[in-house]
Amino acid sequence: MNDVSKQLHFSESLSTDPDPQETLEWRDALLSVAASQGPARARQILDELARLARQQRIGWQPELNTPYVNTIAVEDQPAFPGDLAVEERLASLMRWNALAMVVRANQAYGELGGHIASYASAADLFETGFNHFFHARSEQHGGDLVFFQPHSAPGVYARAFLEGRLSEADLLHYRQEITAPASGARGLSSYPHPWLMPDFWQFPTGSMGIGPISSIYHARFMRYLTHRNLQDCAGRKVWGVFGDGEMDEPESMSALTLAAREKLDNLVWVVNCNLQRLDGPVRGNGRIIDELEKLFAGAGWNVIKLVWGSDWDGLFARDVTGALVRAFAHTVDGQMQTFAAKDGRFNRDNFFGQNEELARLAQGMTDEQIDRLKRGGHDLVKIHAAYAAAAAHTGQPTVILAQTKKGYGMGSAGQGKMTTHSQKKFDGADLIEFRNRFNLPLSDEQATGLAFFKPADDSAEMRYLREHRARLGGAMPRRETACEVVPVPAIDAYAAFALKADGKEMSTTMAFVRMLGGLLKDGQLGPRIVPIVADEARTFGMANLFKQVGIYSSVGQRYAPEDIGSVLSYREALDGQILEEGISEAGAIASWTAAATSYSVHGLAMLPFYIYYSMFGFQRVGDAIWAAADQRSRGFLLGATSGRTTLGGEGLQHQDGSSHLVAATIPNCKAYDPAFAGELAVILDAGMREMLVEQQDVFYYVTLMNENYAQPDLPEGAAEGVLQGGYRFGRFGPDQAAQQVTLLGSGAIFTEVLKAAAQLAAQGIGVHVFSITSWSELARDGVARGERSHLTQLLADSAGPVIAATDYVRTVPESVRAFVPEGRAFHTLGTDGFGRSDTRAALRAFFQVDAEHIARQATAALLRPAR
């Protein structure tokens, strides 16, 4: 706390103090200790007094809010290591080219959208990082991870343009990814999208809240890699630049305590507090910086407030009465936004005109000087000081709360205005004003014509830009995918029991756990596997893995577990392999994404298996899974106890009937619903080879059941059909039956299909039975191949009406209707509606997907003429 803050607090406390003299003596005593013995001794005494107050139940605790001033005092700022004038010119050029890109796109095509104001507020925060802190991957450095505020993407493109990574033609095709190639350009995606710009963006942050939680779990995964001796991530940082409005999202806040508990001092968040959302102020009647300071400090983070620029230092120094801090303490964000939108005269009258003390501070300043008083997030010197302190801090993650103006420099066209987030149009006068505000080397004609500007290659600005990025390893953002192939063991080495099951009873969940245990023992693949659970390992029978590979803990195990004498006792270890994420599906999927993208983020291929109750997957964290798809994740999602009737007694919200429907919408997700362990083994083997050997950017969603039933051998030659989505399982009934019917089934309901087949065969009906392992793969194949589709050809060697049954909503099997051979009736049975609590048998009868209803549907279909 600086001298002004101390004075303010003392004067305010004296106004209600019953014994000011005694208070003064206590105050002088503490100041004396601090002066003579240093801050550490003063903190020790304060800690002891606080402990004593708690012991005496006095009911006091320190405030979590500090005064509305910079955390880093002027005297503690390090010398700025760069050329301030050059960096300011570069930042101004980035602002201009970003503005020109968005405005030009909207002049040509008014529907394209885009954002100017967000980057205008964050430009200096980005540029300080680019010039001094953000390391790219190189031979000397493993590379930092940077999560960019999505609406600021135009500014990142503007920098890439100056670096020569993007051309003027590329900038002219912002948000025109389809039409750009016709002009010999690449279209620039709206927000950071690795799927669309795979050599550029690393992390998708466009869906608010996903970036913050993802950054935390990436930072933790780096520690995991280090502690397991897979890769040394020391010296690398995870930087996240996020918005204050984005902190409203629950995902943004949900893992703060994990970051503190794990002491992730490799993590730095910069929250751009421009005090404004899309529609208006973030906390119009309060102060978002105060709220966030309490939240982060309470969660155990190191908080650095970056509120005021260097222009304010002289004012604070002259303010011996604390009038400024007192005024800020009573100014809410809605009013602060108004000050940002108005000119120097308005601020003189309405802020400095509040009382005589403030008015005296503004004496001698012109209206223009008042107008140009910078907030901390626009002052490169202050930003550097905050970043340097954050990078050097140990033992805690750090958040920098940087106050900025939304639309900074946009003047009357948008600075601080309610409409600024959506501002995309500027008239000639606005453009001239912007040029003048940042002293841009543009003629009136160039400014009004929105000409892009790039200094000469040998200019001071361009040399500076290249030299600073060269010191930090090269251009960023940059996505790389080179990594070594990881050999996959032969399928018989870990799944022979499943391929030749010989009628043994087991659930597919238990079969998976057994296969996983075998894979973990493989010398090459085993260390690369990352098992992930959300507090359900024992539920899925994974307790045996506790002893085999251990649960990762950054501090090892500091206790003797209650079940220490058990063969399956709980074991945490520094080099543990299982990531046990607790009751947080959002955290678990973020952890999975960190592992699933390790091949590109770290150049080290890992293979995550996240197993969870299937209804807590796509329905609960579907947005995060979609972001993982954008990031080109590689790994397995295992939806256990899947289907609407397999987890009988749990009831409505615990019964999944739609995850396969959602999974089918994600282009690079291959979704399977195997009925038998042998099918599962083939799917796992193919997926591992596709992701680790062929290095394809796909991930697999596989549903598993907790129902025990007899597991048959995988039929000879069925593997190819399993992967394509279905294969002939068998034929029942008389060979030359007059009446014939075809039954399709998947997952949990396939055993009911087999029972129905037996019932129909007993009635003299010939039954063709097909095991459908993936409705979505069949549908995709059908769209691609039409009449030559796998399903069409598969059903060609069958006869009669086709009955399709699943434990999911009917829309799932309905997706293949178009590929059923012409002239064949097609009827679907599924579990539409809300779930219930009861036995499996009762549930299947209720939803009409049991053997009796399947057989009944088949006989009814035989009586109807084919359509």
Side-chain angles (χ1 to χ4, degrees):
M1 187 181 293
N2 61 27
D3 290 338
V4 173
S5 303
K6 294 171 187 174
Q7 178 66 35
L8 170 65
H9 270 240
F10 181 54
S11 61
E12 286 184 339
S13 63
L14 288 183
S15 64
T16 57
D17 196 333
D19 192 343
Q21 184 58 41
E22 182 181 27
T23 300
L24 185 62
E25 292 172 3
W26 278 92
R27 178 177 177 274
D28 288 345
L30 180 63
L31 291 174
S32 176
V33 168
S36 62
Q37 300 182 52
R41 175 57 178 159
R43 286 195 296 270
Q44 185 179 32
I45 290 174
L46 289 172
D47 286 341
E48 175 59 23
L49 290 174
R51 185 196 65 79
L52 187 62
R54 287 192 297 272
Q55 186 180 64
Q56 296 298 314
R57 301 189 181 186
I58 291 173
W60 173 89
Q61 61 182 17
E63 289 183 17
L64 291 176
N65 272 139
T66 58
Y68 207 70
V69 297
N70 294 340
T71 300
I72 301 173
V74 179
E75 58 270 23
D76 295 328
Q77 287 177 194
F80 187 72
D83 187 319
L84 189 59
V86 172
E87 290 195 26
E88 286 182 338
R89 289 199 297 273
L90 281 170
S92 296
L93 290 176
M94 308 298 179
R95 280 191 176 92
W96 171 259
N97 286 329
L99 178 149
M101 176 172 52
V102 175
V103 176
R104 287 182 73 138
N106 281 279
Q107 282 184 346
Y109 307 97
E111 65 196 85
L112 289 178
H115 302 276
I116 301 169
S118 294
Y119 178 69
S121 71
D124 299 302
L125 300 173
F126 282 154
E127 285 304 302
T128 303
F130 277 127
N131 287 324
H132 301 283
F133 294 94
F134 299 163
H135 286 268
R137 194 193 305 177
S138 65
E139 292 183 3
Q140 293 75 37
H141 196 283
D144 292 336
L145 283 57
V146 183
F147 289 75
F148 292 97
Q149 189 177 14
H151 289 153
S152 295
V156 182
Y157 295 142
R159 168 171 268 269
F161 169 61
L162 291 194
E163 292 173 332
R165 301 173 66 200
L166 296 177
S167 68
E168 183 170 321
D170 297 332
L171 265 59
L172 286 171
H173 287 87
Y174 172 61
R175 294 194 172 194
Q176 298 162 65
E177 296 154 276
I178 297 172
T179 56
S183 301
R186 73 182 298 180
L188 304 182
S189 61
S190 54
Y191 306 124
H193 291 302
W195 188 264
L196 300 172
M197 298 180 69
D199 61 340
F200 195 89
W201 294 115
Q202 271 193 309
F203 306 108
T205 54
S207 187
M208 295 294 177
I210 303 299
I213 190 172
S214 185
S215 72
I216 291 174
Y217 280 89
H218 271 283
R220 202 277 298 267
F221 189 71
M222 288 164 67
R223 290 287 174 82
Y224 173 87
L225 292 177
T226 299
H227 289 154
R228 291 194 55 221
N229 297 313
L230 293 170
Q231 187 176 92
D232 184 3
C233 295
R236 299 172 64 192
K237 295 283 187 184
V238 178
W239 296 84
V241 183
F242 309 118
D244 49 357
E246 186 172 5
M247 295 300 105
D248 290 343
E249 291 285 2
E251 293 90 349
S252 297
M253 301 287 102
S254 62
L256 295 186
T257 53
L258 177 137
R261 183 169 66 249
E262 296 286 317
K263 296 180 170 57
L264 297 180
D265 51 18
N266 61 340
L267 177 65
V268 179
W269 279 14
V270 182
V271 180
N272 177 18
C273 299
N274 58 36
L275 316 182
Q276 192 172 330
R277 299 194 193 96
L278 173 61
D279 290 331
V282 176
R283 294 289 183 271
N285 295 305
R287 285 192 300 279
I288 186 61
I289 289 180
D290 285 351
E291 183 174 319
L292 293 177
E293 181 182 25
K294 284 183 179 180
L295 183 66
F296 281 94
W301 287 51
N302 174 44
V303 180
I304 297 176
K305 289 163 71 172
L306 173 58
V307 188
W308 306 114
S310 301
D311 297 338
W312 289 87
D313 290 340
L315 294 173
F316 280 116
R318 297 200 304 273
D319 181 20
V320 295
T321 66
L324 270 178
V325 180
R326 210 160 37 244
F328 291 141
H330 296 96
T331 303
V332 296
D333 284 355
Q335 188 61 48
M336 200 70 77
Q337 179 193 2
T338 300
F339 291 146
K342 301 298 184 180
D343 59 14
R345 168 54 60 180
F346 181 91
N347 282 277
R348 179 190 298 278
D349 294 340
N350 292 273
F351 179 75
F352 289 103
Q354 294 180 73
N355 56 57
E356 292 184 7
E357 293 170 303
L358 292 174
R360 281 196 296 271
L361 289 175
Q363 284 178 356
M365 297 179 69
T366 65
D367 289 347
E368 183 180 6
Q369 287 175 316
I370 291 175
D371 187 50
R372 287 179 174 257
L373 285 170
K374 288 181 179 178
R375 297 187 181 179
H378 300 305
D379 188 307
L380 299 178
V381 174
K382 298 290 187 183
I383 298 169
H384 180 273
Y387 282 19
H393 189 77
T394 59
Q396 292 172 291
T398 294
V399 61
I400 298 169
L401 303 177
Q403 182 171 239
T404 64
K405 293 180 181 180
K406 191 156 190 175
Y408 178 64
M410 290 168 64
S412 59
Q415 179 172 285
K417 293 183 178 294
M418 293 293 188
T419 57
T420 189
H421 185 84
S422 301
Q423 182 69 33
K424 301 167 185 66
K425 297 179 181 179
F426 285 73
D427 61 25
D430 293 329
L431 293 168
I432 295 294
E433 182 183 357
F434 191 95
R435 179 204 64 184
N436 295 341
R437 173 68 180 78
F438 292 107
N439 298 315
L440 293 162
L442 299 168
S443 66
D444 287 358
E445 184 179 3
Q446 287 174 314
T448 55
L450 292 165
F452 295 120
F453 186 84
K454 187 175 184 179
D457 280 347
D458 61 350
S459 66
E461 291 84 0
M462 294 297 283
R463 290 198 308 270
Y464 190 92
L465 180 145
R466 289 192 297 266
E467 289 169 4
H468 277 68
R469 283 315 310 165
R471 286 181 207 157
L472 292 169
M476 284 187 76
R478 186 176 76 227
R479 184 176 178 274
E480 302 175 57
T481 59
C483 66
E484 293 182 355
V485 167
V486 180
V488 175
I491 191 170
D492 286 340
Y494 62 91
F497 76 94
L499 299 172
K500 300 293 183 182
D502 195 29
K504 293 185 179 67
E505 285 203 357
M506 70 182 83
S507 68
T508 51
T509 295
M510 294 313 299
F512 163 73
V513 173
R514 184 171 171 183
M515 291 180 215
L516 180 62
L519 289 168
L520 285 165
K521 294 175 183 175
D522 184 78
Q524 292 179 289
L525 175 62
R528 303 295 187 93
I529 291 175
V530 185
I532 302 172
V533 290
D535 194 47
E536 292 152 348
R538 294 187 191 275
T539 302
F540 302 136
M542 297 174 65
N544 61 307
L545 299 183
F546 294 166
K547 278 290 183 69
Q548 182 179 338
V549 296
I551 299 163
Y552 171 69
S553 167
S554 61
V555 296
Q557 190 162 29
R558 296 174 174 177
Y559 61 92
E562 171 273 328
D563 58 355
I564 194 170
S566 167
V567 175
L568 305 179
S569 63
Y570 202 79
R571 183 175 77 88
E572 298 185 72
L574 186 65
D575 62 350
Q577 199 159 345
I578 301 169
L579 290 174
E580 214 286 12
E581 301 299 359
I583 306 176
S584 173
E585 286 80 15
I589 195 65
S591 192
W592 180 84
T593 303
T597 56
S598 178
Y599 75 94
S600 63
V601 176
H602 307 294
L604 181 75
M606 302 293 286
L607 185 65
F609 290 87
Y610 170 32
I611 183 169
Y612 54 90
Y613 279 0
S614 64
M615 60 280 170
F616 295 147
F618 286 89
Q619 300 91 319
R620 188 160 190 152
V621 289
D623 197 13
I625 295 174
W626 187 259
D630 188 349
Q631 201 173 330
R632 297 172 173 257
S633 294
R634 302 172 184 172
F636 288 92
L637 298 174
L638 291 309
T641 62
S642 68
R644 186 149 280 162
T645 68
T646 196
L647 191 62
E650 292 286 349
L652 187 149
Q653 273 189 278
H654 280 61
Q655 293 171 344
D656 165 27
S658 57
S659 66
H660 274 284
L661 188 63
V662 184
T665 67
I666 301 179
N668 54 336
C669 174
K670 293 190 173 184
Y672 289 91
D673 185 29
F676 299 122
E679 298 171 354
L680 173 62
V682 169
I683 293 164
L684 293 181
D685 178 72
M688 289 188 292
R689 295 183 188 283
E690 190 171 10
M691 291 182 276
L692 296 176
V693 180
E694 299 171 24
Q695 299 192 1
Q696 297 297 308
D697 295 341
V698 298
F699 67 98
Y700 278 56
Y701 173 60
V702 185
T703 41
L704 307 172
M705 278 75 70
N706 65 339
E707 182 179 1
N708 290 323
Y709 47 76
Q711 299 285 334
D713 294 353
L714 185 72
E716 191 72 27
E720 183 178 357
V722 168
L723 298 177
Q724 289 178 299
Y727 65 96
R728 174 182 283 278
F729 184 82
R731 178 166 178 165
F732 300 79
D735 290 339
Q736 302 299 323
Q739 290 186 307
Q740 297 188 52
V741 69
T742 299
L743 303 184
L744 312 181
S746 67
I749 299 304
F750 192 67
T751 56
E752 299 295 327
V753 169
L754 293 178
K755 293 175 188 176
Q759 292 177 22
L760 293 167
Q763 300 172 33
I765 299 171
V767 186
H768 305 265
V769 177
F770 296 87
S771 177
I772 303 303
T773 52
S774 176
W775 302 101
S776 56
E777 286 301 296
L778 288 177
R780 289 172 179 174
D781 175 72
V783 170
R785 299 173 60 200
E787 293 181 357
R788 296 181 295 107
S789 75
H790 177 65
L791 182 62
T792 305
Q793 295 181 42
L794 194 64
L795 295 181
D797 189 26
S798 68
V802 181
I803 313 300
T806 174
D807 211 12
Y808 293 84
V809 294
R810 290 177 58 241
T811 309
V812 173
E814 283 288 341
S815 64
V816 305
R817 176 180 289 276
F819 315 112
V820 173
E822 189 175 351
R824 302 278 295 277
F826 183 64
H827 305 278
T828 56
L829 300 175
T831 55
D832 292 44
F834 286 118
R836 302 288 193 280
S837 294
D838 216 306
T839 63
R840 291 191 186 106
L843 287 168
R844 288 168 184 170
F846 175 81
F847 285 108
Q848 300 184 3
V849 292
D850 61 348
E852 181 179 350
H853 283 89
I854 295 171
R856 188 183 303 170
Q857 180 69 62
T859 54
L862 287 168
L863 298 175
R864 303 190 194 109
R867 289 183 295 174

